[in-house]
């Protein structure tokens, strides 16, 4: 991860400063075992408390917590006693979780990489781990953190867009693919066809319609057809400019029998991430247009323009089963 994305602070202890990562995703604060052992070797006063719980680390593995230590800590001009869970596998010397953020009411300014506490807005600190004592164990922790950040930056720098596209050319294409699944069927509550006359359209928009339909024909998404069903198409403006063709399926939607399908909940989905350390978000190219339809479903999804009558041969997002299923 880039260093600019890491929110480090110098957490003051009686024996010096240790780099601590501010992590709003951590339920509780924790400290690495070797840091606790160093504090103990220097004779700093602390209180140990046994505990037993399991937590999920950022790289997907589960860790068993068998103890906690209560220390006097200081940020900015404020000090208090705080409990840290002791972990041996955590990659960072210390992590300040939601318990610290809630207690101090920390407010972060990401643009300036500064923070303050809501009860004392005039006291401002910076997200940095450079202010560490030289020649100490705690300074070596700072070097370790710097090395970790440098390696992460170098690794992510290699994962650039062109390299990924070159390594997986079949996944990054301007042409549409077809999902490897059974064609989807649309069941209607009755066989009475529905029809709508085409909407009036000004001449400039007709040219836009023609371009969009030609693209659908070239990609194999639509094709000329005859059917007893007809739904009107119209254009809507995109947020980023240009037009999107939309088909008005409001007459046929009430006749479509809802296809209920069990979906996993969000907790089950997150469990599949266990063991992963890099996460990507990819947007499918016209995802619904990659879902094949049966011939019966194709027939009832005919859309009409002033240009011609065409059938969609893949899933349109405007139909009710596509929105719900």
């Amino acid at each position: 991860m880039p260093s600019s994305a890491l929110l480090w602070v110098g957490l003051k202890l009686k024996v010096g400063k240790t780099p601590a990562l501010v992590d709003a995703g951590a339920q509780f604060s924790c400290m690495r075992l070797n840091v606790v052992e160093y504090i103990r070797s220097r004779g700093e006063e602390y209180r140990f408390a046994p505990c037993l719980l399991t937590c999920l680390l950022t790289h997907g593995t589960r860790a068993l917590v068998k103890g906690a230590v209560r220390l006097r800590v200081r940020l900015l001009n404020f000090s208090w006693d705080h409990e840290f869970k002791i972990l041996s596998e955590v990659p960072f010397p210390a992590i300040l979780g939601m318990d610290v953020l809630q207690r101090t009411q920390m407010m972060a300014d990401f643009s300036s990489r500064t923070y303050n506490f809501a009860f004392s807005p005039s006291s401002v600190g910076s997200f940095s781990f450079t202010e560490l004592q030289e020649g100490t164990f705690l300074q070596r922790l700072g070097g370790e953190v710097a090395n970790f950040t440098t390696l992460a930056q170098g690794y992510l720098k290699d994962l650039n867009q062109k390299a990924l596209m070159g390594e997986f050319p079949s996944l990054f294409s301007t042409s549409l693919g077809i999902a490897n699944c059974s064609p989807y069927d649309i069941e209607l509550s009755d066989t009475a066809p529905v029809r709508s006359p085409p909407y009036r359209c000004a001449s400039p928009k007709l040219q836009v319609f023609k371009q969009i339909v030609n693209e659908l024909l070239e990609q194999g998404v639509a094709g000329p057809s005859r059917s007893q069903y007809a739904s009107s198409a119209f254009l809507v403006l995109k947020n980023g400019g240009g037009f999107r063709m939309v088909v008005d399926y409001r007459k046929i939607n009430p006749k479509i029998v809802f296809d209920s399908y069990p979906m996993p909940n969000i907790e089950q989905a997150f469990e599949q991430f266990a063991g992963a350390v890099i996460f990507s978000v990819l947007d499918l190219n016209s995802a619904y247009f990659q879902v094949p339809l049966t011939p019966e479903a194709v027939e009832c999804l005919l859309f009409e323009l002033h240009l011609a009558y065409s059938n969609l041969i893949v899933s349109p997002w405007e139909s009710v089963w596509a929105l719900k299923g």
Side-chain angles (χ1 to χ4, degrees):
M1 61 189 70
S3 59
S4 59
L6 299 175
L7 303 181
W8 294 101
V9 295
L11 184 66
K12 293 182 180 179
L13 307 170
K14 288 185 178 179
V15 296
K17 280 186 181 179
T18 180
L21 178 70
V22 178
D23 185 4
Q27 184 178 358
F28 51 79
S29 299
C30 57
M31 189 168 287
R32 201 164 61 191
L33 177 60
N34 64 340
V35 180
V36 176
E37 291 175 341
Y38 172 79
I39 293 172
R40 183 176 57 183
S41 69
R42 295 295 300 270
E44 179 172 337
E45 183 180 348
Y46 69 93
R47 280 182 288 172
F48 177 83
C51 65
L52 187 62
L53 58 90
T54 302
C55 64
L56 186 66
L57 301 181
T58 54
H59 53 286
T61 60
R62 295 186 179 275
L64 183 64
V65 180
K66 296 183 179 180
V69 61
R70 193 168 188 84
L71 299 166
R72 190 72 175 175
V73 297
R74 185 181 181 90
L75 273 179
L76 298 180
N77 297 320
F78 306 96
S79 60
W80 70 98
D81 291 334
H82 199 81
E83 183 179 276
F84 294 84
K85 301 295 188 292
I86 303 173
L87 289 171
S88 58
E89 298 91 347
V90 66
F92 310 115
I95 294 177
L96 304 183
M98 282 300 299
D99 53 349
V100 169
L101 301 185
Q102 291 172 352
R103 180 166 184 170
T104 61
Q105 302 176 38
M106 180 182 287
M107 303 176 66
D109 185 339
F110 296 103
S111 60
S112 62
R113 294 187 58 77
T114 59
Y115 69 94
N116 58 26
F117 301 144
F119 55 81
S120 180
S122 59
S123 298
V124 179
S126 61
F127 290 115
S128 172
F129 59 89
T130 56
E131 301 175 4
L132 299 174
Q133 295 178 356
E134 296 183 2
T136 68
F137 170 79
L138 297 179
Q139 193 214 8
R140 290 198 297 273
L141 293 181
E144 176 186 321
V145 168
N147 184 56
F148 172 84
T149 302
T150 302
L151 290 175
Q153 282 183 295
Y155 182 73
L156 291 179
K157 186 177 181 180
D158 292 337
L159 294 178
N160 57 65
Q161 183 179 4
K162 290 184 178 180
L164 283 174
M165 293 178 67
E167 186 175 355
F168 305 100
S170 60
L171 299 181
F172 300 93
S173 174
T174 55
S175 61
L176 296 179
I178 296 295
N180 185 19
C181 62
S182 300
Y184 192 89
D185 190 30
I186 298 178
E187 181 183 355
L188 301 180
S189 58
D190 60 70
T191 57
V194 294
R195 307 178 187 88
S196 298
Y199 294 128
R200 294 183 62 183
C201 184
S203 179
K205 287 190 176 181
L206 283 178
Q207 299 302 317
V208 177
F209 262 127
K210 186 175 182 180
Q211 179 181 354
I212 293 175
V213 171
N214 285 338
E215 290 176 357
L216 294 176
L217 293 173
E218 292 174 0
Q219 294 173 335
V221 172
S225 180
R226 292 179 178 272
S227 174
Q228 299 184 52
Y229 296 85
S231 298
S232 303
F234 59 97
L235 297 175
V236 295
L237 280 171
K238 294 182 181 180
N239 291 333
F243 290 94
R244 175 185 290 109
M245 188 185 76
V246 178
V247 183
D248 185 358
Y249 285 120
R250 286 180 293 180
K251 285 189 176 181
I252 198 170
N253 274 344
K255 300 163 69 70
I256 297 177
V257 178
F258 177 61
D259 184 9
S260 179
Y261 187 83
M263 299 290 289
N265 58 35
I266 190 66
E267 288 79 11
Q268 289 176 316
F270 283 150
E271 287 177 357
Q272 305 302 313
F273 295 157
V277 294
I278 296 178
F279 302 91
S280 301
V281 178
L282 300 177
D283 186 17
L284 291 178
N285 183 14
S286 302
Y288 283 107
F289 284 168
Q290 300 189 43
V291 179
L293 299 174
T294 63
E296 293 76 16
V298 169
E299 182 179 359
C300 65
L301 293 181
L302 181 140
F303 66 90
E304 58 179 342
L305 311 168
H306 285 282
L307 304 173
Y309 293 82
S310 298
N311 260 72
L312 281 169
I313 61 176
V314 293
S315 157
W317 67 268
E318 295 90 351
S319 63
V320 68
W321 57 266
L323 288 173
K324 293 183 177 179

